[in-house]
């Protein structure tokens, strides 16, 4: 994430920690002691936050892959590279802890909190979005559809409806 202007690293780290606590899987570690993965929510989970200062106007933004061991730490690692005129926040989020939508919600949450902590007089502070912590567990749920008589139809049966419609169309080739 490219940030322009002066960044307050302490407040950014505080904002990331705040958002981490609002996202249960990012705030959890894995216990494999019973031959199965069990998520344990850690109310005081720690995250990695590195700060590197550069004397250039824009810090480098090349990123290499990072290993996150969710047995020992939260599923989030951050590096703030501060230049004299702008900064780059590099975010690593473990795929077992958050999907793409959840990752964006997490970052929006952290940046909204940062906006609240650095609010300028006369500017409206960003609002935090209400979160549904269980939404990740429901992302793969398939919606149900009803047959004409009102009975629930399996998803594959519902998929046949557009195919039947398309089969009835006359296609014109130009």
């Amino acid at each position: 994430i490219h940030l322009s202007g002066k960044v307050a690293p302490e407040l950014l780290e505080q904002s990331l920690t705040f958002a981490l606590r609002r996202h249960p899987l990012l705030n959890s570690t894995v216990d494999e002691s019973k031959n199965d993965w069990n998520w344990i929510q850690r109310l005081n989970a720690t995250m990695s936050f590195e700060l590197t200062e550069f004397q250039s106007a824009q810090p480098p933004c090349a990123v290499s892959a990072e290993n996150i061991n969710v047995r020992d730490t939260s599923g989030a690692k951050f590096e703030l590279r501060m230049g004299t005129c702008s900064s780059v926040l590099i975010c690593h989020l473990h795929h077992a802890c958050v999907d793409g939508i959840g990752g964006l919600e997490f970052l929006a949450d952290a940046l909204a909190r940062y906006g609240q902590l650095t609010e300028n007089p006369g500017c409206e502070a960003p609002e935090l979005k209400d979160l549904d912590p269980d939404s990740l567990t429901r992302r793969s749920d398939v919606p149900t559809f009803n047959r004409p008589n009102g009975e629930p139809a399996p998803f594959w049966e519902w998929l046949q409806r557009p195919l039947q419609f398309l089969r009835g169309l006359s296609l014109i080739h130009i």
Side-chain angles (χ1 to χ4, degrees):
I1 299 174
H2 293 268
L3 305 167
S4 61
K6 187 93 171 124
V7 174
E10 306 83 20
L11 295 179
L12 184 59
E13 183 176 9
Q14 185 180 350
S15 301
L16 291 165
T17 301
F18 173 85
L20 186 76
R21 301 231 186 307
R22 287 174 35 104
H23 294 261
L25 284 180
L26 281 171
N27 195 25
S28 300
T29 57
V30 172
D31 175 25
E32 293 180 290
S33 63
K34 298 175 185 166
N35 295 329
D36 194 15
W37 276 42
N38 296 299
W39 289 97
I40 300 170
Q41 190 169 4
R42 308 286 184 192
L43 298 178
N44 295 317
T46 59
M47 65 174 185
S48 174
F49 182 85
E50 282 184 41
L51 172 62
T52 309
E53 295 187 46
F54 293 87
Q55 296 308 311
S56 59
Q58 295 185 353
C61 56
V63 180
S64 60
E66 287 285 325
N67 181 36
I68 300 175
N69 185 348
V70 291
R71 292 176 198 93
D72 301 326
T73 185
S74 72
K77 274 184 166 181
F78 303 96
E79 180 186 356
L80 179 62
R81 297 176 181 175
M82 290 181 58
T84 56
C85 299
S86 66
S87 299
V88 175
L89 177 63
I90 298 170
C91 310
H92 299 276
L93 304 173
H94 197 286
H95 65 95
C97 301
V98 68
D99 64 1
I101 295 168
L104 291 173
E105 288 177 347
F106 169 80
L107 294 172
D109 214 25
L111 293 173
R113 181 65 180 156
Y114 182 75
Q116 290 175 343
L117 295 174
T118 58
E119 180 182 3
N120 291 324
C123 294
E124 190 175 327
E127 292 185 25
L128 292 170
K129 180 181 173 186
D130 289 334
L131 298 178
D132 178 4
D134 296 323
S135 65
L136 184 61
T137 61
R138 293 191 311 272
R139 290 240 167 84
S140 62
D141 288 356
V142 177
T144 58
F145 302 94
N146 293 333
R147 294 182 175 137
N149 65 2
E151 293 178 19
F155 185 67
W156 63 269
E157 187 176 297
W158 179 82
L159 283 176
Q160 291 177 351
R161 290 181 189 174
L163 293 175
Q164 290 168 351
F165 171 77
L166 291 172
R167 282 188 191 124
L169 293 177
S170 299
L171 299 177
I172 301 172
H173 297 283
I174 300 177

